[in-house]
Structure formats: C-alpha cells, structure tokens
Amino acid sequence: MAYIVMEPCIECKYTDCVEVCPVDCFHEGPNFLVIDPEVCIDCGVCEPECPTNAIVDAAAAPAGQERYVELNAKYAKLWPVITDKREPLPDAERWSTVAEKSAELKL
Ligand code: SF4
Ligand code: F3S
C-alpha cells in the first residue's frame, strides 16, 4: 500500500515532501497535496520531512483519516504533478496548529 497525505496538510502545503520524493508522485490542489498510489514506491522518505506530520503509510492511517486513502487516489488523477518545493501557503504556520480543518479542503 502507498503512502498518503492527510488532513494536517490542508492550508499549509509546506512541500518539503515533494523535494525528497524520488519518483514524482505528488500532485497539487489549491490547498492540499496528494500522493499517487500507483507511482509511490513506499520508500517512506517523505514521512519525516513533513512539518505537520501529514504523511503516513496508508495501511497505518489513524482513526478519522481513512477517507484520505481514497481521496489521494482520486485527486492524483485530476491534479497536476508538483516536482519542486514552493513557499508554504501564507497562513501555514497558523493552520499547522489547527487539528480539525477538513472543511477547508478545496477540491
Ligand atoms: Fe514518494 Fe517515497 Fe513518499 Fe511514496 S513514500 S510519496 S515514493 S517519497
Ligand atoms: Fe503537505 Fe506536509 Fe507535504 S504540509 S505539502 S504533506 S510537507
């Protein structure tokens, strides 16, 4: 099973994960990134790089985050690939401390 991006990425998009991924499997939406499960090689190097701890092995998705498994797979087919690190979103620091922000997700 591939790795996934979960709720803590929303409104942050630090993109440190993009820089370390060896196979370009990140795709970018307006305020969230997803991982293409068909491209991810399960190397795990992106997981410790995320400042918000938004990345996890899909098989170990914590309670309440299960919907992100399907969401990553679906939007990886719709959103463009991102291969370079960018500036985080303007209010990333504030949003990084907000636990419940799924309502902010722009699809
Ligand atoms: Fe890329 Fe490896 Fe992370 Fe998969 S686990 S998204 S291949 S860095
Ligand atoms: Fe998001 Fe973390 Fe990557 S905030 S863009 S999953 S480094």
Side-chain angles (χ1 to χ4, degrees), residues 5 8-10 12-18 26 33 49-55:
V5 182
C9 178
I10 296 169
C12 291
K13 258 197 342 189
Y14 280 102
T15 69
D16 300 65
C17 53
V18 173
F26 285 92
L33 256 55
E49 298 300 322
C50 176
T52 66
N53 297 316
I55 301 175

Side-chain angles (χ1 to χ4, degrees), residues 3-58:
Y3 279 64
I4 56 166
V5 182
M6 307 177 293
E7 186 172 1
C9 178
I10 296 169
E11 287 291 0
C12 291
K13 258 197 342 189
Y14 280 102
T15 69
D16 300 65
C17 53
V18 173
E19 201 164 49
V20 298
C21 181
V23 292
D24 297 345
C25 50
F26 285 92
H27 293 246
E28 184 181 23
N31 65 348
F32 189 62
L33 256 55
V34 293
I35 291 170
D36 186 341
E38 293 179 12
V39 178
C40 177
I41 57 170
D42 296 352
C43 69
V45 299
C46 57
E47 183 175 3
E49 298 300 322
C50 176
T52 66
N53 297 316
I55 301 175
V56 71
D57 186 330

